[in-house]
Amino acid sequence: MTTTHADPEEVAACAKEPSVEIDKLDHDEKEEEKIADIEEDEEEEEEEEEEEEEEDDDDDEDFVLSNAKKRKAPKSKAKSPAKKAVKKHTPAKTKKPAAKPKAIRAPKKTPGGNPKDNIINGLLELANFNIVDASRVHTALLAGYKNPRSDGFAKALKALESEGKIALTKNSVRVTDKGKQSVPPVPPTKDNIEALERLKKIMKMVCGKKGPKSDLICDFLGDGQAHSLKSVAMACGYTNVRSEGLTSVLTTLTDLKLLDKDAGSFMLADIAFPHGRSGGTVTSESE
């Protein structure tokens, strides 16, 4: 019987084959373990990231809540330096000017002196021209009253009547002897020149602003002559014979019975010349 010897290399190779397979298995297991470890690490990392995100969200919520509390918190009384600085540099408020005191209206002007004496004196001035019964309007104007219907004038007339110093009718006023004695006497005029000056004064008081040229008209008619309306107007500077100023003066002279009219001509009446007329009778002038 023959004995065969195995090839040593084959034996070695056969011996090695099982170890190779084992090594492969070990390698595969290690690879799987590594993969598992990597997956576990990734899962852990993901979990950690999620936890960090949750923590960040919590921090954000806490930050928002803290800010809200700060806004709601009451302001401290202490002023910040910035505000103080602003306050120092703000211009001081200008004081409003004091309100002007309301203007006190002056009382209505009343005739100077004793109103009752003024009435008596005015009536005595008219008496110098033989005007005994004066109208209430003329009496008031000569006494210095601007309004003949004023309460002051009415009260003065009533008082004088109760004292027996004047006699009143519906349209006229007459001074009594008792009234004449109650005031200093009015001296009579010395001549027609003085009489004309007193007449101009009377006309000025009675006509007022409505007859600014009453002096000129009286001077022109003071010659005692008759004049047409046109000549009176032209001599006194009126371009219109119907001018209010001219008409007012002539009407007042007529009401006082100091003007005579005839055939469109005008001249002062005889009573305007207490010392005798210097002119002639009324004559017509061509217009």
Side-chain angles (χ1 to χ4, degrees):
M1 178 175 179
T2 58
T3 306
T4 58
H5 296 280
D7 189 359
E9 293 179 357
E10 290 180 355
V11 173
C14 292
K16 290 181 180 177
E17 286 180 0
S19 63
V20 171
E21 291 178 355
I22 293 169
D23 291 339
K24 287 183 179 178
L25 290 173
D26 293 336
H27 181 268
D28 291 339
E29 289 177 357
K30 288 179 179 179
E31 291 292 328
E32 288 177 358
E33 288 176 359
K34 286 181 179 179
I35 293 170
D37 292 336
I38 291 170
E39 289 177 352
E40 287 179 1
D41 292 337
E42 289 178 352
E43 289 177 358
E44 289 177 359
E45 287 177 359
E46 288 177 358
E47 289 177 359
E48 288 176 358
E49 287 177 358
E50 288 177 359
E51 289 177 359
E52 288 177 359
E53 287 178 358
E54 289 178 358
E55 289 177 358
D56 290 339
D57 292 338
D58 292 338
D59 291 337
D60 291 338
E61 289 179 0
D62 293 337
F63 178 78
V64 172
L65 291 173
S66 64
N67 285 339
K69 288 180 179 180
K70 287 180 181 179
R71 285 196 296 268
K72 291 181 180 180
K75 295 182 180 179
S76 59
K77 293 184 179 179
K79 296 182 179 179
S80 63
K83 289 185 178 180
K84 288 183 180 179
V86 171
K87 186 174 181 182
K88 288 181 181 178
H89 289 87
T90 52
K93 294 182 179 179
T94 55
K95 293 183 179 180
K96 293 182 179 179
K100 294 182 179 179
K102 293 183 179 179
I104 301 174
R105 292 183 178 180
K108 294 181 179 180
K109 291 183 179 180
T110 56
N114 189 323
K116 294 189 292 183
D117 289 348
N118 291 339
I119 292 173
I120 298 296
N121 288 328
L123 293 173
L124 292 177
E125 285 289 348
L126 292 177
N128 273 330
F129 294 96
N130 293 321
I131 301 173
V132 179
D133 295 319
S135 70
R136 295 195 179 208
V137 174
H138 295 155
T139 303
L141 294 174
L142 284 172
Y145 289 97
K146 301 298 182 182
N147 182 8
R149 296 182 179 180
S150 68
D151 292 339
F153 178 61
K155 290 178 181 179
L157 284 183
K158 188 175 181 180
L160 288 171
E161 184 183 30
S162 64
E163 294 169 5
K165 296 178 181 179
I166 61 171
L168 290 176
T169 65
K170 184 177 180 180
N171 298 317
S172 64
V173 184
R174 175 184 291 188
V175 63
T176 62
D177 291 338
K178 186 176 181 179
K180 293 176 183 179
Q181 295 172 1
S182 66
V183 296
V186 176
T189 57
K190 297 177 182 179
D191 50 33
N192 285 339
I193 296 176
E194 185 179 351
L196 183 61
E197 292 300 319
R198 288 195 184 183
L199 177 60
K200 289 194 291 184
K201 182 180 178 181
I202 291 172
M203 291 300 296
K204 192 171 184 179
M205 293 184 69
V206 174
C207 294
K209 294 181 179 180
K210 293 182 178 180
K213 296 183 178 181
S214 60
D215 285 2
L216 293 176
I217 296 172
C218 289
D219 283 336
F220 184 71
L221 296 174
D223 62 358
Q225 300 292 328
H227 301 278
S228 68
L229 179 60
K230 185 177 181 179
S231 62
V232 175
M234 290 179 63
C236 297
Y238 291 103
T239 57
N240 186 354
V241 295
R242 295 182 180 180
S243 172
E244 183 181 0
L246 178 61
T247 303
S248 176
V249 175
L250 295 179
T251 301
T252 301
L253 287 171
T254 303
D255 292 343
L256 289 171
K257 300 180 181 179
L258 290 167
L259 189 68
D260 291 336
K261 294 185 294 182
D262 183 29
S265 295
F266 300 85
M267 64 182 253
L268 289 179
D270 289 343
I271 61 174
F273 304 96
H275 301 280
R277 177 182 290 277
S278 58
T281 58
V282 175
T283 56
S284 300
E285 286 187 6
S286 60
E287 296 187 3

